Amino acid sequence: MKRNSLHRLLSTCAAMLWASFATAEVTLNIGYLAVEQPRAAVLSNLDPIPDDNGLAGARTALQDNLVTGRFLGHGYEMTEAVVPVGDDPLATAKALLAATRFLVVDAPAEVLVQIADLPEAQGAMIFNTSSGDVALRDDACRANLFHTSPSDAMRTDALAQVLVQKRWTDLVMIAGTRPQDQAYASALRHSLTKFGLRLSAEKEWAFDADMRRSAAQEIPLFTQELGDYDALIVADELHDFGRYVLYNTWQARPVVGSEGLSAVGWSPVIEQWGAAQLQSRFEEMHGREMTSQDYAAWAALRTLGEAVTRTNASDPQTLRSYILSDEFELAGFKGRPLTFRDWNGQMRQPIAIAHPRALVAQAPLEGFLHQNNELDSLGLDRPESKCEAFE
């Protein structure tokens, strides 16, 4: 057993022994807020978004916390709230904040900022589990807003590392017109520049034709003028047209990005580092596979659970300080301890590079070094971030 692992095991045992003599119990109430968004029409319904996407991950983590808490005199409760499309999310957020100082939120970036800026939210801890918006970790950051969802930049940096490693340096891109597609494409351009790569050609997918029957005729013509290249990047975050690009391009080349070989926070094909046990436990509880958003919600609740276990406290100030300290580590079934960046509240985490059938790599890749933490080679590093709220 490695020295660090042994040290943490002894520390956990000591904490459990100390807690067994403690007379005061600790109870943490956590609010889960999901703000529903209109679902854009897509060409295929083969991959429907689960109604409990994210929430199922939070429920799994709640059970994990309760198992640990049972031995330590710690209790956990979760209050769930869903805001239907068109309703006011701030009113619901205020109601939850009246009952708890800890919120796990599935909402768009603009709503997250509005919630974080509420007077009722000052001094609270809010976890973003769905938005990859880079600005939330940059000049739009908030001191009470943490991110267990990887940023778009973390995902595109991970993909860029793989492209460098495979020496796929002549790249082209097809980007959709929706805001999510454009945000991913923007992050991708920045990542390519960061790692010394470039786009030799770029096209915008602005068609609304039904590709299910005509992809074999339309896609080759659409991609013919891209010429020759090493890999085609697809920016299609709603998974609308990208599925029809694979194997239909004019040149027989790899497809990466939103489809094909993708950089994701979590994937059902991850089996190492004990992940298979988490996957099995999740599937047994919810009857489906774990998504990246499920994992982000799971990580948020487990972060709080780990902090309570280590500090024997339930107040936001103590937990926040511990989570941002060098002492905090979360075993996240990704092969490396998960920690938080103390300059913008982003959870450091490896990013899986996978296709639907197998894990290909996990970033950061070997050879991509960093002066402090290799995980900080993914996403906004301290010198790059304009976040001042955490200072």
Side-chain angles (χ1 to χ4, degrees):
M1 181 179 291
K2 293 183 178 180
R3 183 175 180 179
N4 288 344
S5 298
L6 179 60
H7 175 76
R8 288 188 62 78
L9 177 59
L10 292 175
S11 176
T12 299
C13 291
M16 293 175 67
L17 181 62
W18 180 88
S20 66
F21 292 101
T23 57
E25 292 189 352
V26 175
T27 300
L28 195 73
N29 183 25
I30 304 165
Y32 184 93
L33 175 61
V35 181
E36 293 185 341
Q37 297 296 300
R39 294 189 179 181
V42 293
L43 294 173
S44 174
N45 60 0
L46 291 176
D47 301 308
I49 300 174
D51 291 335
D52 60 352
N53 192 27
L55 178 57
R59 289 170 174 168
T60 302
L62 180 65
Q63 293 304 311
D64 292 348
N65 285 347
L66 287 170
V67 170
T68 303
R70 188 176 301 121
F71 297 99
L72 302 173
H74 298 163
Y76 299 89
E77 301 172 352
M78 186 169 71
T79 303
E80 303 171 6
V82 177
V83 181
V85 176
D87 283 10
D88 181 14
L90 299 186
T92 306
K94 290 178 182 178
L96 286 173
L97 288 165
T100 176
R101 309 303 293 156
F102 305 95
L103 288 189
V104 176
V105 183
D106 166 17
E110 61 273 15
V111 176
L112 282 164
V113 171
Q114 291 171 3
I115 293 173
D117 286 344
L118 288 171
E120 295 86 348
Q122 303 317 300
M125 293 186 68
I126 302 167
F127 289 85
N128 161 35
T129 62
S130 58
S131 176
D133 193 315
V134 177
L136 293 177
R137 290 84 168 167
D138 201 16
D139 52 2
C141 71
R142 298 295 189 270
N144 56 357
L145 187 57
F146 292 73
H147 313 277
T148 52
S149 177
S151 68
D152 291 340
M154 291 172 66
R155 294 169 53 222
T156 56
D157 280 357
L159 182 62
Q161 289 187 8
V162 172
L163 295 173
V164 170
Q165 185 193 61
K166 293 184 176 297
R167 300 181 181 178
W168 293 345
T169 57
D170 187 1
L171 305 166
V172 299
M173 181 165 67
I174 300 174
T177 59
R178 288 162 170 163
Q180 299 95 320
D181 304 338
Q182 292 297 307
Y184 181 82
S186 177
L188 199 285
R189 295 185 196 98
H190 184 273
S191 294
L192 294 181
T193 301
K194 176 178 177 179
F195 289 96
L197 301 172
R198 67 181 183 89
L199 288 172
S200 59
E202 187 173 348
K203 294 192 72 174
E204 185 176 85
W205 183 271
F207 302 100
D208 57 3
D210 190 343
M211 288 290 107
R212 288 175 292 181
R213 296 182 180 178
S214 59
Q217 291 77 39
E218 300 293 338
I219 300 295
L221 295 176
F222 183 76
T223 58
Q224 183 178 6
E225 65 185 74
L226 293 173
D228 198 6
Y229 49 84
D230 293 330
L232 169 61
I233 301 169
V234 172
D236 174 25
E237 289 295 88
L238 294 184
H239 304 288
D240 182 16
F241 65 89
R243 69 177 69 234
Y244 302 106
V245 175
L246 278 78
Y247 305 106
N248 280 318
T249 55
W250 182 263
Q251 296 284 353
R253 298 290 184 269
V255 174
V256 302
S258 301
E259 296 290 345
L261 191 63
S262 300
V264 293
W266 189 256
S267 171
V269 300
I270 300 174
E271 298 179 312
Q272 303 175 44
W273 315 293
Q277 286 71 30
L278 175 62
Q279 303 270 25
S280 297
R281 191 165 71 252
F282 181 90
E283 190 166 353
E284 183 177 348
M285 289 181 64
H286 307 289
R288 62 172 179 83
E289 295 176 332
M290 193 177 211
T291 68
S292 291
Q293 190 169 328
D294 288 319
Y295 181 84
W298 176 88
L301 264 78
R302 284 294 299 121
T303 291
L304 290 171
E306 179 69 11
V308 170
T309 297
R310 299 294 173 179
T311 63
N312 200 45
S314 60
D315 63 286
Q317 183 176 357
T318 300
L319 298 187
R320 183 183 189 277
S321 297
Y322 178 72
I323 288 169
L324 290 174
S325 74
D326 294 337
E327 297 297 316
F328 176 82
E329 288 185 355
L330 177 66
F333 304 99
K334 287 190 171 188
R336 303 189 190 198
L338 310 185
T339 61
F340 280 84
R341 293 171 179 158
D342 62 4
W343 62 86
N344 65 1
Q346 172 66 58
M347 172 177 272
R348 296 183 181 95
Q349 55 186 293
I351 301 296
I353 312 297
H355 61 76
R357 299 286 291 171
L359 179 68
V360 174
Q362 181 165 259
L365 276 63
E366 185 176 353
F368 291 90
L369 305 178
H370 188 276
Q371 62 269 31
N372 297 317
N373 189 321
E374 290 178 3
L375 289 171
D376 288 338
S377 68
L378 305 176
L380 290 177
D381 198 1
R382 187 188 298 271
E384 298 174 293
S385 177
K386 302 182 186 68
C387 179
E388 298 179 352
F390 282 75
E391 294 180 357

